[in-house]
Amino acid sequence: MSQNHNLDSRVWTFKLSQILLGRYCWLIGIIWMILSFPVQGATELRVAIEKGVGSLKVGSSTLAIIRDGAGRKLGELTQLEAFAVKPLRSGVNLDQWNSNQIVIEPTKNGSIWISDRWYRGKVRLIRQGHGITAVNLVNLEEYLYSVVGSEAYPTWPMEALKSQAVVARTYALYKSSKGENRYYDLDTTTKTQVYKGLETEFVTTHEAVNETAGQVLTHNGKVILAAFHSSSGGHTENVEDVWSSPLPYLRGVLDYDQLAPVFQWRKSFSARQMGQLIGGVGAVKSLIPQRTTPHGRIITLKVVGTHGSKNITDDNLRKALDLKSTLFTVSANDETFQIDGRGYGHGIGLSQWGSHYLAEQGISYAQIVSHYYQNAQLTTLN
């Protein structure tokens, strides 16, 4: 989803141990372009970029202030230099500085380097477990510039990108309000939302975020759990049929994802191969759905093999067999199992490919999110 602009490396020199920066040079132009965009709102998110790693590299595009956990200034970090961060017995080490935690604040609206990417905002370095956790402290709207470009294609119709912006903003605020983790609100993976810093910011993602600034989905005055996925395979699911308790705004609706590249897919396994991937049953003899949703998505599957049988849940099944979804049927022939499936993801909430199709038909983002989140209201935060 990113583009390579091959800018002259002399414009931006950043020393990163033995890592060549050449493959990141295209970010230079984006960094300066981005600095001209206005930023809406002041909500700060805590996004875990690295979790419990043995060491990492950090740096700043401009002179940066180094502070301890109490906010006291420890020193300054020179620009365009790479610095190693290492765990201490009860804190972290950065060059000559040791503290229980260290915060790096770039000056002059500079960008921060963490491991292998540029990010907006600041970075907090803490000891977690036996390693270092790097948490990006970033403005919500700036965070969304990247998330929209990571979760959707920046060339998609603007109304689809706006839908993604509203949903991603809602989801981020919902997660941060829960306080489930002491150190951070979200990470950078599909477990929360994909976030790649400046690498996935584009003019279109800025436009989508800025034109929906502060808009979220609510129910009874509260920000909703705005779950989303790539493609449902024709119909989204009621949340209680896949996860746990019912929610009035996560109801199954007709999807418009028939043109998605992941609408239909197929995988084949030998009986022995499938048994090895699932584990504990020997060569697979049969697959028997135990619990399915009204639309056919498998929640629990009984696997019968030459050495026994076991029930496997949807998440474990997808992971074991590397399936795009659990909306599938199985046919067997000569100890070969063919899986014919539809869609990509859990099938709850917004379908990204469905929103893409609707946007191409001229449907507004407000109508799109209203369709996928029944009984939710589009609200602008104060």
Side-chain angles (χ1 to χ4, degrees):
M1 284 183 270
S2 58
Q3 300 174 352
N4 194 331
H5 299 292
N6 296 318
L7 297 181
D8 189 336
S9 61
R10 292 175 297 174
V11 177
W12 191 287
T13 303
F14 194 85
K15 302 173 185 177
L16 289 175
S17 184
Q18 298 177 350
I19 301 176
L20 295 177
L21 183 57
R23 58 195 174 112
Y24 298 106
C25 285
W26 63 275
L27 291 177
I28 301 162
I30 292 177
I31 292 172
W32 296 115
M33 174 194 74
I34 286 168
L35 298 182
S36 65
F37 281 82
V39 175
Q40 305 288 338
T43 301
E44 185 176 73
L45 294 178
R46 305 173 303 162
V47 187
I49 307 299
E50 297 282 4
K51 293 185 279 188
V53 296
S55 65
L56 55 85
K57 297 281 186 176
V58 295
S60 175
S61 64
T62 60
L63 181 74
I65 307 301
I66 303 173
R67 302 186 187 278
D68 64 14
R72 293 183 292 262
K73 181 177 178 179
L74 300 177
E76 296 179 347
L77 214 60
T78 54
Q79 65 184 27
L80 305 177
E81 293 284 346
F83 294 86
V85 183
K86 300 176 182 178
L88 298 175
R89 178 172 297 179
S90 59
V92 294
N93 164 259
L94 170 64
D95 198 50
Q96 60 185 290
W97 301 285
N98 299 322
S99 182
N100 64 326
Q101 65 175 268
I102 289 176
V103 177
I104 303 174
E105 303 176 4
T107 60
K108 300 179 181 178
N109 205 23
S111 302
I112 197 78
W113 178 270
I114 309 171
S115 289
D116 61 353
R117 287 192 174 102
W118 291 104
Y119 297 89
R120 292 171 173 270
K122 304 175 285 189
V123 62
R124 174 182 290 140
L125 304 165
I126 59 176
R127 172 71 184 272
Q128 191 174 22
H130 298 290
I132 297 292
T133 291
V135 180
N136 184 202
L137 308 176
V138 60
N139 173 275
L140 169 62
E141 303 296 312
E142 293 180 324
Y143 163 80
L144 294 173
Y145 292 154
S146 171
V147 170
V148 173
S150 299
E151 289 286 0
Y153 291 95
T155 55
W156 274 11
M158 183 52 60
E159 296 305 299
L161 296 181
K162 288 180 183 178
S163 299
Q164 186 66 63
V166 170
V167 171
R169 182 183 293 110
T170 304
Y171 183 83
L173 288 175
Y174 177 89
K175 292 294 288 185
S176 63
S177 72
K178 292 302 178 182
E180 296 172 352
N181 189 288
R182 175 182 176 185
Y183 302 108
Y184 53 85
D185 306 309
L186 305 129
D187 63 20
T188 63
T189 72
T190 54
K191 290 183 178 179
T192 56
Q193 297 187 124
V194 180
Y195 172 60
K196 298 181 180 179
L198 299 188
E199 182 178 328
T200 52
E201 291 192 19
F202 300 87
V203 172
T204 52
T205 68
H206 279 249
E207 183 180 345
V209 172
N210 291 340
E211 291 191 9
T212 62
Q215 293 183 15
V216 295
L217 292 160
T218 62
H219 179 73
N220 289 340
K222 295 182 179 180
V223 172
I224 71 169
L225 169 57
F228 60 92
H229 59 284
S230 179
S231 164
S232 74
H235 203 287
T236 69
E237 301 282 357
N238 293 328
V239 63
E240 68 271 19
D241 293 330
V242 179
W243 291 344
S244 53
S245 56
L247 292 168
Y249 49 81
L250 288 179
R251 316 313 303 154
V253 297
L254 183 66
D255 199 4
Y256 299 90
D257 60 336
Q258 287 80 7
L259 299 182
V262 290
F263 181 74
Q264 290 184 313
W265 48 268
R266 173 177 291 173
K267 294 194 76 170
S268 295
F269 303 89
S270 69
R272 182 177 179 182
Q273 179 188 20
M274 183 177 285
Q276 290 174 336
L277 292 171
I278 292 175
V281 296
V284 173
K285 297 167 61 178
S286 63
L287 302 172
I288 307 169
Q290 298 294 291
R291 180 185 161 215
T292 62
T293 69
H295 300 289
R297 196 173 302 267
I298 296 173
I299 304 303
T300 308
L301 182 74
K302 183 177 183 180
V303 182
V304 180
T306 55
H307 295 161
S309 64
K310 70 187 226 182
N311 288 337
I312 185 169
T313 61
D314 50 355
D315 286 342
N316 291 331
L317 180 62
R318 281 188 64 190
K319 183 177 180 180
L321 301 183
D322 192 25
L323 304 178
K324 288 180 170 55
S325 77
T326 58
L327 180 60
F328 63 79
T329 58
V330 181
S331 57
N333 183 30
D334 294 331
E335 296 190 351
T336 297
F337 291 89
Q338 179 176 294
I339 295 179
D340 290 290
R342 297 205 314 272
Y344 196 163
H346 48 60
I348 300 170
L350 178 85
S351 160
Q352 292 166 315
W353 279 104
S355 75
H356 172 268
Y357 176 83
L358 290 172
E360 285 193 325
Q361 308 312 305
I363 306 300
S364 72
Y365 76 95
Q367 292 173 297
I368 292 172
V369 296
S370 177
H371 172 69
Y372 286 104
Y373 301 98
Q374 300 284 304
N375 307 306
Q377 290 76 46
L378 187 61
T379 306
T380 300
L381 298 174
N382 294 328

